[in-house]
Amino acid sequence: MKKLQLVSKRAEHNYTLQKFLKPHFVYIPLIVQNNTNVVCEVKVDEYVYKGQVVGSFNENFTLKIHSSVSGTVKEIKKMRLYNNELVKCIVIENDFKENTKYNEKNIKKISDYSKEEFIDNIQNAGIIGMGGAGFPTYFKYKSDNINTLIVNAVECEPFISSDHTLILNNCEEILEAVDSIMEINNISKCYIAIKDIYSDLKFEFDKYIGTYPNIELFFTKNYYPAGWEKNLIKDIMHIEYNNLPIEKGIVVNNVSTIYAIYESLKYNKPSIERIITVSGNLVKDTNILIKIGTTIKELIDFIGMKETKKLKVIVGGPMMGKTVSSLDIVITKNVNSIILSDEEVYNKEVNCLKCGKCSDVCPSKLCPVLIMENLENKDELLKLQPNKCIECGLCSYICPSKILLRDKVIEAKQVLRGDKK
Amino acid sequence: MKTITENGPFIKSKNSTTKMMRNLLIALVPIILFSFYYNGIRLYNLKAISLIEMFKPLLLILVGTLTSFLIEVIYALIIKNKKPFEYSFYSYSIFPGLFLSLIVPVNTPLILLIMAVCFGVIFGKIVFGGFGKNIFNPALVGYLFIFVCYSSTLTSSLDAISTATPLANLKGFDYVGTYNDLVLPYNSIFDLILGFKGGALGEISGLLCIIGFIYLTITKVIKYKIPCTYILTVFIMTTIIALTNNMGLWYPLLHIFSGGLLFGAIFMATDPVTTPITSFGQIVSGILMGIITVICRSLIPGLVEGVMLSILSVNLLVAILDNIGVKVKFNIKKCIIPLVILILLVITLSLYIGLSKVKTSKKDTPSLEIIETIKNNDKTTYTLYSKGYSGKIKLKVTFNKDNINSIEILEHQESEFIPKVVSSGLIDSLVSSNGDTSKVDSVSGATFTSKYLKETINALSKHHRGA
């Protein structure tokens, strides 16, 4: 695989953090990992506190869902999420009082947690992976044989800088949390992975890291997708795994997730806020702390946006992000970036000339061009293993014929899935 | 507020197919200019050709390019495409014609070139569904057309002023010879590398081809692995042949820098559409092309050049190679067995060729094939066969006492060369030389025919005097 540096005008970010914590309404989606069998625990017109449990998921695992504001439940309504799926959401009208039931004062020293308490805590705080996948975090810590923790702060997609901002603002807390997690779970080694081009992050970590001998900074090369778990583990530990990193005793957490764990351990505060990056040519690039459940519309009203007739709203980074069909989209825990743009992407598609660049860059060692050619031939498709695709979008990025190869590979996955039914 | 939905990614590389093709053209420009100088301007300065003939190389290129562009415009009109010129542009239709005009000999008639381009584009590209879907390189399909139908016109053995190309020369010596025989006619090996030799327009300058290769590799236009393994394979095989026959390093260099090898390997064998996608496939196809080229050149009689045929035949295997290539990508160990087999094949084949040439070169002392001897007083008439460039030549030689009286050519297979021999007066000088042929000049344009005739007459007169 070629290590490819993406060519793009990286937004000149100022890493100061804005806050937008006063949406009029929040929409709490009742969904966990694409599963909507979530029990709603509140009724319409009921008063809820900030951080109160409003839904719980009890199937193969349990996870709580919390209100991010205090106020009254207005209705339960279907809203669209970033992937354009319609999901039942609890609509809460904010009373701006921020009434909470949890104690914001420290109750416990965070390294005093036992392993059971720790898992209980992050389960009840509803913490899921905030890097994008949304995998319930406590699951990763269930194993007793964890030897290495990798904190992923790579942010390999262009434009996104929410993790960057978080580290600049909360570096000390993150290191404290990592140290406690290691102590609680008997983890001997931790690597914090950042890109080698960001000297400001290194400077920030260097202020505090001296007191933690088992935590080491790791500088990844500036390539895409350096932040993909598999690449990260290969770069740091030089080993490969099949399905999940836990096979090798490794836990990989996004740095935002670590911070959510910190808040939950220290203040009992559930995961109800996060930092997202808003960028694009229609807005001033900025990082904003927002409440989970805010709609993009309210966010845009807050930050202001240039008028355009060809608005494109991309949730996620420019590579893996998806456009959404309207502005009434609920921001969930795993959204880390929103791009508002009216720039046109050069998309003049010509016939494939079989240059093989897509298969050169594919991090999963696939041949997207052959997958595209064999879409109708299921036997051949099986051999080409499109299921290994992580949808990073490099094939579509690199294609000189501007063919949207990733969509073809996704189609191939669907063809195979249809076959298995 | 309405939003636009489209599929990502929302940033794209700045590279595009059009840019790649533009780079390909840039790499070809020096080659075209050099061949215009060498086959046009230089000959005009030597007063060998007229001013109009000077522009023949450019005319060939222009006609080839235009023809292949227009064919696709016509095709677009037939399938009722609303923008036929745009269609033709975006199927990059100029390239088959351009390449074809660069690999045919300079003396190819324009009408033949046009026919070949039509054939190549229609049967090599359009019937498969146009750009990106063809299996065979369309330029080579056109080349094959000329090769099969008009091979007598297309003996790429001569350049514009009729000196044998290095490869034809090689073939004349049955692929084994000394530096003096094989390289000195072209001054030195460096002149061969620089391109001061006969050949088709694109083929003459190896150095410019290499510069083009470097440019195209840096700009990531071509699959650089194919020419690398291709040339390396030819180099290894010819080195082994050279070693078994006591020839120096000049021999592999002669092979690499003569004929269409470099141009073919760099520009034709890397045509993205008709070559493998996977690295494994690219490496193996390069090795296979190398093997086939060496076989064609040294084992198949009547075939001067093997490059184009080797590329065409490997085009056939692309699907199979990619199939294995995909498996190798997932598990690198799977490439070991096929690669070991290929390397063994390369070594054994070149040893076989090298050793078989050793035998033939020992046999090669001129032997006389006398069919009939009639003695009549002082007059002796021999009917005999002489070696020729493309077959045997039947001669009737009459001696008066010990002096040659007359030489008559009864049968021959070289319609191209014998008339030259006859018109140059070689026969008369052979008669007057009286068997001491070393002072007789060979005929340019029929180097080998005249050489063999000289050898035969020399041997015959020795035989006659001895008898």
Side-chain angles (χ1 to χ4, degrees), chain A residues 6-8 158 308 310-314 318-319 321 323-327 345-348 350-357 359 364-367 369-370 380 383-385 388 393 396-398 400-402 404 406-407, chain B residues 1-18 20-21 86 90 92 129-134 219-225 271-279 282 322-323 326-327 329-330:
Chain A
L6 298 182
V7 181
S8 76
T308 178
K310 291 188 285 183
L311 175 64
K312 211 158 52 180
V313 182
I314 301 154
M319 293 296 285
T323 50
V324 291
S325 51
S326 76
L327 289 179
V345 186
Y346 180 71
N347 266 337
K348 163 90 189 159
V350 296
N351 275 356
C352 171
L353 85 161
K354 294 179 187 154
C355 61
K357 290 191 197 303
S359 80
S364 300
K365 299 179 183 173
L366 299 177
C367 294
V369 44
L370 294 181
E380 276 298 312
K383 285 184 205 159
L384 296 167
Q385 311 190 17
K388 282 190 174 176
S396 306
Y397 168 87
I398 198 79
S401 298
K402 308 296 167 196
L404 295 175
R406 175 175 56 185
D407 297 354
Chain B
M1 193 173 195
K2 271 190 183 175
T3 59
I4 298 172
T5 54
E6 63 181 44
N7 288 346
F10 303 97
I11 47 176
K12 293 267 178 93
S13 66
K14 289 193 178 123
N15 197 6
S16 72
T17 309
T18 310
M20 286 169 72
M21 295 302 181
E86 197 183 309
Y90 280 110
Y92 308 101
F131 176 73
K133 301 199 175 81
N134 45 319
T219 51
K220 293 180 185 163
V221 174
I222 55 167
K223 301 167 175 171
Y224 67 94
K225 292 184 186 106
D271 167 37
V273 180
T274 54
T275 44
I277 289 151
T278 54
S279 306
Q282 289 167 16
D322 268 341
N323 221 325
V326 169
K327 287 175 193 155
K329 247 191 140 187
F330 289 130

Side-chain angles (χ1 to χ4, degrees), chain A residues 86-104:
Chain A
L86 269 177
V87 170
K88 260 198 261 173
C89 293
I90 302 170
V91 186
I92 301 167
E93 188 178 12
N94 195 353
D95 66 355
F96 303 109
K97 285 180 183 150
E98 302 277 311
N99 288 329
T100 57
K101 271 189 172 171
Y102 63 85
N103 189 355
E104 291 227 359

Side-chain angles (χ1 to χ4, degrees), chain B residues 431-456:
Chain B
V431 172
S432 55
S433 77
N434 215 359
D436 181 16
T437 52
S438 57
K439 282 172 190 162
V440 177
D441 287 331
S442 292
V443 179
S444 76
T447 323
F448 289 101
T449 313
S450 47
K451 177 176 170 273
Y452 295 135
L453 281 178
K454 275 158 63 182
E455 282 172 6
T456 311

Side-chain angles (χ1 to χ4, degrees), chain A residues 65-233:
Chain A
I65 292 167
H66 308 81
S67 165
S68 52
V69 295
S70 63
T72 328
V73 176
K74 279 288 163 195
E75 56 179 326
I76 290 167
K77 181 181 164 188
K78 283 204 164 176
M79 292 287 285
R80 279 189 196 278
L81 301 190
Y82 67 96
N83 50 7
N84 289 323
E85 253 175 70
L86 269 177
V87 170
K88 260 198 261 173
C89 293
I90 302 170
V91 186
I92 301 167
E93 188 178 12
N94 195 353
D95 66 355
F96 303 109
K97 285 180 183 150
E98 302 277 311
N99 288 329
T100 57
K101 271 189 172 171
Y102 63 85
N103 189 355
E104 291 227 359
K105 296 276 167 298
N106 181 8
I107 344 168
K108 232 175 170 180
K109 204 176 157 227
I110 61 172
S111 52
D112 285 352
Y113 282 87
S114 72
K115 178 140 183 165
E116 285 75 38
E117 284 173 318
F118 168 77
I119 287 179
D120 243 31
N121 192 301
I122 57 177
Q123 197 171 348
N124 290 330
I127 295 172
I128 61 168
M130 292 168 105
F135 192 72
T137 302
Y138 82 93
F139 236 68
K140 296 181 176 177
Y141 288 97
K142 273 166 85 179
S143 161
D144 285 328
N145 298 314
I146 307 169
N147 51 47
T148 313
L149 171 67
I150 294 173
V151 179
N152 187 349
V154 176
E155 285 191 308
C156 52
E157 279 208 61
F159 303 167
I160 307 179
S161 60
S162 56
D163 290 351
H164 197 131
T165 312
L166 177 77
I167 295 170
L168 291 182
N169 284 289
N170 302 76
C171 186
E172 208 178 346
E173 289 87 342
I174 290 163
L175 285 170
E176 191 187 338
V178 170
D179 187 56
S180 314
I181 293 170
M182 287 167 71
E183 209 176 312
I184 295 164
N185 292 287
N186 266 325
I187 301 171
S188 51
K189 188 76 197 167
C190 169
Y191 297 93
I192 299 177
I194 54 178
K195 268 189 189 172
D196 56 1
I197 50 170
Y198 296 141
S199 49
D200 51 342
L201 289 185
K202 181 179 184 302
F203 180 76
E204 196 64 29
F205 273 116
D206 280 346
K207 282 189 208 163
Y208 311 102
I209 207 163
T211 45
Y212 304 103
N214 293 330
I215 304 176
E216 197 181 304
L217 284 184
F218 181 84
F219 302 100
T220 66
K221 290 270 174 313
N222 181 24
Y223 74 96
Y224 177 84
W228 177 39
E229 272 184 354
K230 242 178 189 163
N231 278 346
L232 203 55
I233 291 175

